[in-house]
Amino acid sequence: MARIIRRNDSAAGSNKKGIIARLCGIGLAIGCLVLLPGTARAALPVLFSAEQQPSNNGMASSIWESDLQYAAVLIILAFVGAGLILSLLLNRFTDKKHVEQIKKRDRLISTVNNVASVMLSENSGMDFTASLKSGMGLMGQLLNVDRVHILQNEMIDGELCAVQKHVWLSEAGSHKAPPSNEVIYRYSIAPEWRDKFIKGESICNQFAVLSLQEQNFLSCHHVKSMVLMPLFLHDEFWGLFGIDACMEERMFTEDEINILHSASLMMVNAININAMTQSLQATANQLEAALLEANYASTAKSAFIANLSHEIRTPMNSIIGFSELAMDGNITPETKEYLENIIKNSNWLLTIINDILDMSKIEANKMVLENVPLDLHDIFVHCQTLILPKAIEKGLILHFYAEPVIGKKLLGDPTRIHQILINLLSNAIKFSNIGAVKLSSFITNMDEDTCTVCFEVRDSGIGMTAQQIEDIFKPFTQADGSTTRKHGGTGLGLSITKNLVELMGGHLSVESTVKVGSKFSFELTFDTMETLDTEPFQTVFVELEKPMFEGTVLVCEDNVMNQRVIFEHLQRVGLNVEMANNGKIGVDRVRSRKEAGLKPYDIILMDIHMPVMDGLEAVPLIIELDTGAPVIATTANIMTDDLNLYKESGMIDYLAKPFTTQELWRCLLRHLVPIDAVQQNGYAMELDEELKKQLVTTFLKENQTRYAQITAALSAGDMTLAHRLAHNLKNSASLVEKQELSKAAQAVESALTGGVNAVMDEQMRTLNNELTAALAAFDTFIPLAESVPLKESSNGLMGLQASLAILDKLKPLLKSGNPECLDFIDELKRMRGSEKLVEYMEAFRFRPEALGAFETLMRELEGT
């Protein structure tokens, strides 16, 4: 049977051949001695005898013996020398043959490497079939064989066969081989071979020693010697790799078998890669042809739609124009109704035509964007004007807010931004039956040359499912097929909006919950230009109900003016307020309330920058107390990175400073349940004049020496204190509408971020100038105090009568919780024993703590 060559057979060491050659030489020498003539063998004992035997012949005997000994020695030396020579010749012949085998092996390896390089190179300049056949030919010539072929397994008539796919033939082999398309090995003829191939075993033998069945299997191929190796691809039996010698028998060495095995694996993988490449190329060609055809069709369609839209617009404008003119004449009510319907439907049709025209421009890449100065305030006003009638008709509340861009003018396409917002607002109103629609924009990033603005449109409408969200941006698609009849529209609005946003470099996102509402948002980055306009604008159009709450709020805030503002706002919606001047006091208040078994705070408003302990330090400690009170950040720093930082610390929401009444209400409504509501008509309720006057008074008291305090902190190297002082001044200036001062303070604050002093002299000069100007402007705003100067005691403390007079004015304010009582703080600090009362008042804990301390102080004074 055939000899089986397994992949793990090891070749014999070359040094064995040299050893065998030397043993043969030594054996030859020994053989010569055995075959010596009898006289020589007889002479050996004499030659090697230890004693000379006496001779009867005397001299003649001695001479014979001497000659015989010499002859024997010469004969022995001759045979030994011949044996050694033969040994050396055999050894040299064996080493030379080994070297030739090594060189042949190296040539075969080099050939396989070259074949692999050619077959796997994309720049070979040959097609795959030619390069494969060339490589097979190089191996065939080097091995001096007549056929190298590759066969692939296929099912033919229900049985597994190996079908020849690639073949190289020598000149002699081409006369012996059958046509390529007739070379088919049926594994059923030699099932033992199939089993060996599946196991990964190769077959290598001479034709003459094969079994009769195996000879019948190969008889038509005129094979004298052959090698067949199984090929596997992705762990599946793929086919065979064969080497045939057709002219003479020969044996293949183990080195040749191993190298051919590696070459066969390389070839089958190259064949597979080529097949995949051809398949991908065919697919790519089909797609390219389809794309060209689609582009041609799309271009033709867009051109047709654009021309058609323009042609339709002309008569539509005439229809609308003449209908409006006819409305001014003396017409009957019935005719007027007809004309109104004509105008209404004509406008609707014109909107559809405009949408289709825009879509065709976008698809044809003909949409051109402007880059001109724009005013978000004007855009928002115009949007509100257009959609307000429909909102009123449906009883919806509108809220528009645009964060001001101070000292900069945005550059962009106002027409397209207006179109985007109108599309989103129209959808929000269309799919909302109750509640509110809100449009807002706020700055997320600003540098010297650009400004990034985030736009949001929220509604309280029907909402959408996840599947509907995936479909709404497709042209001519709506969230629900029935909406075409119920709500109207072409389904182009959101698709156009999405494309316009992307043309401007943004991305339109949507969040929605069924029966709750939707939020559409996108960010646009605008180029900016300097402007002389320094006063900010803030667009707030509101028809919102004022909510009323019950509960207690803890406010952690160190700025007195901010304390007063937020206290006033919260008190007006029915909430009791407790103040903490820093984060540590806030943590202590939460802990004390829990230890006393009292109901936790309903909400905690947390400033970020405070002395002793800031908001970021305090919040994790409050969360550890596990009271469940939601913590809201109150800060002017609302960049994306800042908001992420607040969220990581445990704050679940934020309220941007300065905030409007509406923004505070919306924040509270997200976390508290209202108990009652009072309708507020018109715009948002702002702070009344009396409170504004109080804020200006506090500003003057707090900031007379603020510049000197900041300068002293910088000189002492206390960057944290300097940063906090600048931060407080920024917020205070904003509350009294001194925006230039607020900007100057913000510049100093930013230069002190991270504890590093990067403040420039010019920034400090600007801060000093703006603060001086603000103080001078308010100097005439606040009238002189109407109260009579109070008499002081000799030690600087307020006298008894003066103290009682102050306390008499203070009492009703404390009882009613009126924050105007804070105006008496300076006078109270000059009273002996008023420390506790002042502490409670500064914390806005008017009732019952401050009122109790007041009664104690009164008793002490009256007892003196």
Side-chain angles (χ1 to χ4, degrees):
M1 287 299 292
R3 180 168 60 91
I4 305 304
I5 304 298
R6 290 180 171 83
R7 303 176 191 173
N8 58 354
D9 289 346
S10 59
S14 61
N15 58 339
K16 290 182 180 180
K17 297 178 180 179
I19 294 173
I20 293 173
R22 288 177 176 81
L23 290 175
C24 290
I26 295 172
L28 181 60
I30 295 173
C32 290
L33 291 176
V34 174
L35 297 175
L36 282 174
T39 55
R41 292 200 305 271
L44 287 178
V46 178
L47 181 64
F48 295 104
S49 174
E51 297 181 0
Q52 295 292 333
Q53 299 294 330
S55 174
N56 295 328
N57 299 334
M59 179 62 72
S61 176
S62 175
I63 292 172
W64 166 247
E65 293 175 356
S66 175
D67 291 339
L68 183 61
Q69 290 175 352
Y70 280 121
V73 169
L74 289 174
I75 291 171
I76 293 171
L77 290 176
F79 276 101
V80 171
L84 291 174
I85 290 171
L86 289 173
S87 174
L88 291 173
L89 290 174
L90 181 60
N91 184 54
R92 182 175 181 182
F93 175 76
T94 304
D95 288 344
K96 184 177 181 180
K97 185 177 181 181
H98 179 62
V99 170
E100 288 298 326
Q101 289 176 345
I102 293 175
K103 290 182 178 178
K104 188 175 181 180
R105 181 198 65 188
D106 291 343
R107 288 196 298 273
L108 183 57
I109 292 174
S110 177
T111 299
V112 172
N113 288 336
N114 290 335
V115 171
S117 177
V118 172
M119 291 179 61
L120 299 177
S121 173
E122 296 180 357
N123 303 317
S124 63
M126 304 172 63
D127 62 30
F128 178 78
T129 302
S131 63
L132 177 61
K133 186 173 182 178
S134 175
M136 295 165 66
L138 290 175
M139 288 188 289
Q141 293 169 3
L142 183 63
L143 292 171
N144 192 27
V145 296
D146 301 300
R147 183 186 296 117
V148 180
H149 55 155
I150 297 174
L151 303 97
Q152 185 175 351
N153 291 337
E154 294 181 6
M155 296 298 296
I156 299 178
D157 298 330
E159 63 175 308
L160 185 65
C161 301
V163 180
Q164 182 174 283
K165 297 295 184 181
H166 304 277
V167 64
W168 170 87
L169 297 169
S170 68
E171 184 176 353
S174 62
H175 298 294
K176 299 279 187 179
S180 297
N181 59 355
E182 296 182 5
V183 179
I184 299 175
Y185 290 169
R186 295 183 180 273
Y187 290 109
S188 59
I189 298 176
E192 293 183 359
W193 283 21
R194 180 193 60 195
D195 295 339
K196 292 170 182 177
F197 289 147
I198 291 175
K199 294 177 181 178
E201 298 175 351
S202 300
I203 294 178
C204 174
N205 220 326
Q206 297 172 342
F207 183 82
V209 300
L210 297 176
S211 68
L212 181 61
Q213 184 181 14
E214 293 168 343
Q215 289 180 352
N216 292 334
F217 183 68
L218 298 173
S219 60
C220 64
H221 301 289
H222 305 283
V223 176
K224 298 291 186 181
S225 298
M226 45 78 70
V227 175
L228 277 178
M229 297 178 175
L231 298 176
F232 290 86
L233 189 64
H234 306 306
D235 296 328
E236 293 185 1
F237 181 31
W238 183 88
L240 299 172
F241 176 73
I243 302 286
D244 298 335
C246 301
M247 303 304 296
E248 60 182 13
E249 293 183 349
R250 60 155 298 174
M251 294 295 294
F252 296 93
T253 67
E254 295 181 9
D255 283 344
E256 290 172 339
I257 297 298
N258 291 332
I259 295 171
L260 289 174
H261 182 263
S262 298
S264 68
L265 292 177
M266 178 271 294
M267 288 182 179
V268 72
N269 279 282
I271 291 171
N272 182 58
I273 292 172
N274 178 66
M276 293 174 60
T277 302
Q278 289 181 341
S279 176
L280 289 174
Q281 185 61 47
T283 303
N285 292 339
Q286 293 174 0
L287 290 175
E288 184 177 359
L291 181 61
L292 289 173
E293 185 177 352
N295 287 338
Y296 176 78
S298 177
T299 302
K301 179 201 70 175
S302 298
F304 171 76
I305 291 176
N307 292 331
L308 181 63
S309 298
H310 281 296
E311 292 298 324
I312 295 176
R313 285 168 60 89
T314 301
M316 285 304 304
N317 286 329
S318 297
I319 293 172
I320 295 173
F322 284 119
S323 298
E324 290 176 343
L325 290 173
M327 291 279 291
D328 294 334
N330 295 323
I331 56 177
T332 65
E334 185 178 12
T335 302
K336 182 178 180 180
E337 182 182 354
Y338 293 159
L339 290 172
E340 287 176 346
N341 288 330
I342 291 173
I343 293 173
K344 179 179 179 181
N345 286 280
S346 296
N347 283 321
W348 179 35
L349 181 56
L350 192 59
T351 300
I352 295 174
I353 294 170
N354 289 335
D355 284 347
I356 295 175
L357 180 60
D358 285 341
M359 201 67 200
S360 67
K361 286 182 179 179
I362 292 171
E363 290 180 348
N365 294 321
K366 296 293 182 65
M367 181 68 73
V368 179
L369 299 177
E370 291 185 315
N371 196 41
V372 299
L374 60 87
D375 190 332
L376 290 182
H377 173 268
D378 292 343
I379 293 174
F380 277 36
V381 168
H382 194 258
C383 288
Q384 189 236 12
T385 302
L386 287 179
I387 68 167
L388 186 58
K390 190 64 176 178
I392 294 174
E393 178 184 331
K394 299 189 71 173
L396 298 174
I397 300 169
L398 295 180
H399 175 58
F400 283 25
Y401 169 76
E403 182 178 354
V405 183
I406 302 174
K408 299 281 188 179
K409 200 75 171 179
L410 303 181
L411 299 176
D413 191 328
T415 301
R416 295 305 174 186
I417 294 174
H418 177 270
Q419 183 179 358
I420 291 170
L421 298 179
I422 285 295
N423 281 345
L424 295 177
L425 288 167
S426 297
N427 269 353
I429 292 175
K430 180 190 299 183
F431 297 104
S432 298
N433 295 318
I434 59 173
V437 172
K438 176 182 178 181
L439 167 63
S440 61
S441 69
F442 50 90
I443 299 169
T444 59
N445 188 42
M446 180 180 286
D447 54 32
E448 291 296 324
D449 302 315
T450 64
C451 177
T452 301
V453 180
C454 179
F455 296 85
E456 287 186 359
V457 175
R458 295 175 179 265
D459 65 62
S460 55
I462 61 177
M464 293 175 286
T465 65
Q467 182 59 50
Q468 289 172 333
I469 292 175
E470 290 184 8
D471 294 336
I472 58 172
F473 294 122
K474 298 176 183 177
F476 305 102
T477 303
Q478 294 187 333
D480 187 340
S482 64
T483 57
T484 303
R485 294 184 300 272
K486 183 177 179 180
H487 299 284
T490 62
L492 286 176
L494 285 177
S495 180
I496 293 172
T497 299
K498 176 178 179 293
N499 280 280
L500 289 176
V501 170
E502 291 174 352
L503 282 174
M504 295 181 184
H507 173 73
L508 182 60
S509 300
V510 57
E511 300 173 17
S512 186
T513 303
V514 176
K515 297 182 180 180
V516 175
S518 303
K519 181 186 81 170
F520 289 83
S521 61
F522 59 94
E523 281 191 354
L524 296 179
T525 298
F526 299 92
D527 293 333
T528 60
M529 59 180 292
E530 297 293 332
T531 178
L532 297 177
D533 297 333
T534 58
E535 291 299 322
F537 61 81
Q538 183 168 299
T539 308
V540 185
F541 306 101
V542 182
E543 294 286 342
L544 187 62
E545 291 183 344
K546 174 184 175 182
M548 296 299 294
F549 306 92
E550 283 184 353
T552 303
V553 179
L554 173 63
V555 178
C556 297
E557 170 67 64
D558 66 308
N559 186 290
V560 175
M561 294 180 64
N562 285 336
Q563 289 178 349
R564 176 166 290 186
V565 169
I566 199 166
F567 180 89
E568 184 74 17
H569 275 293
L570 294 173
Q571 190 181 52
R572 290 185 181 186
V573 292
L575 292 169
N576 294 322
V577 185
E578 292 188 16
M579 288 287 177
N581 288 332
N582 57 61
K584 183 179 184 305
I585 297 175
V587 174
D588 292 341
R589 293 274 170 82
V590 176
R591 182 183 294 109
S592 299
R593 197 174 184 89
K594 181 177 181 180
E595 292 174 350
L598 299 176
K599 178 179 177 294
Y601 292 108
D602 293 280
I603 197 169
I604 299 174
L605 300 180
M606 180 67 66
D607 186 28
I608 301 301
H609 300 288
M610 293 181 290
V612 183
M613 181 184 290
D614 63 28
L616 295 177
E617 296 173 300
V619 171
L621 299 177
I622 291 175
I623 292 175
E624 286 181 5
L625 294 173
D626 194 26
T627 64
V631 183
I632 312 300
T634 56
T635 177
N637 299 331
I638 55 170
M639 302 295 285
T640 301
D641 291 342
D642 297 321
L643 298 180
N644 290 336
L645 187 61
Y646 307 153
K647 185 176 181 180
E648 290 172 3
S649 71
M651 303 185 204
I652 64 173
D653 203 348
Y654 74 94
L655 181 64
K657 296 178 182 176
F659 55 85
T660 66
T661 307
Q662 292 292 314
E663 290 167 334
L664 175 62
W665 289 354
R666 290 183 178 273
C667 180
L668 294 174
L669 286 169
R670 287 196 291 268
H671 306 286
L672 300 177
V673 178
I675 60 171
D676 195 5
V678 178
Q679 180 67 36
Q680 299 291 321
N681 296 321
Y683 296 109
M685 180 186 66
E686 302 297 339
L687 301 178
D688 56 32
E689 290 301 320
E690 183 60 30
L691 181 55
K692 289 182 179 179
K693 179 178 178 181
Q694 294 173 9
L695 290 176
V696 172
T697 303
T698 304
F699 176 84
L700 290 171
K701 291 180 179 180
E702 292 287 325
N703 295 290
Q704 291 289 343
T705 61
R706 182 56 53 92
Y707 178 80
Q709 293 171 356
I710 295 174
T711 303
L714 291 174
S715 300
D718 191 346
M719 303 309 156
T720 301
L721 176 59
H723 181 274
R724 181 167 56 82
L725 291 171
H727 176 77
N728 287 340
L729 178 57
K730 175 192 71 176
N731 292 339
S732 298
S734 180
L735 289 173
V736 295
E737 300 178 354
K738 291 298 178 183
Q739 301 302 332
E740 287 304 305
L741 175 57
S742 181
K743 286 175 56 180
Q746 183 178 10
V748 174
E749 177 192 13
S750 299
L752 293 169
T753 301
V756 178
N757 184 3
V759 180
M760 296 182 291
D761 292 341
E762 180 62 29
Q763 291 174 321
M764 290 301 292
R765 282 195 294 271
T766 301
L767 178 66
N768 188 29
N769 292 338
E770 293 299 334
L771 178 57
T772 301
L775 294 173
F778 287 137
D779 189 43
T780 58
F781 180 82
I782 302 298
L784 295 176
E786 299 177 358
S787 59
V788 179
L790 301 174
K791 181 180 180 181
E792 298 182 4
S793 62
S794 59
N795 58 5
L797 294 176
M798 187 178 295
L800 176 60
Q801 294 302 320
S803 298
L804 293 175
I806 292 295
L807 293 178
D808 186 56
K809 295 179 180 180
L810 178 62
K811 186 174 182 178
L813 296 176
L814 284 178
K815 285 186 175 181
S816 63
N818 193 326
E820 292 183 11
C821 63
L822 296 175
D823 294 338
F824 295 90
I825 290 290
D826 290 341
E827 287 83 357
L828 290 173
K829 289 181 178 179
R830 292 158 54 201
M831 297 182 192
R832 182 181 286 107
S834 63
E835 293 81 5
K836 204 66 177 176
L837 174 58
V838 171
E839 178 185 345
Y840 286 135
M841 289 175 61
E842 288 182 337
F844 284 69
R845 297 169 66 181
F846 301 142
R847 297 174 298 178
E849 291 91 339
L851 191 58
F854 173 87
E855 297 295 345
T856 301
L857 179 59
M858 283 290 293
R859 288 193 296 270
E860 292 176 354
L861 292 176
E862 290 174 349
T864 58

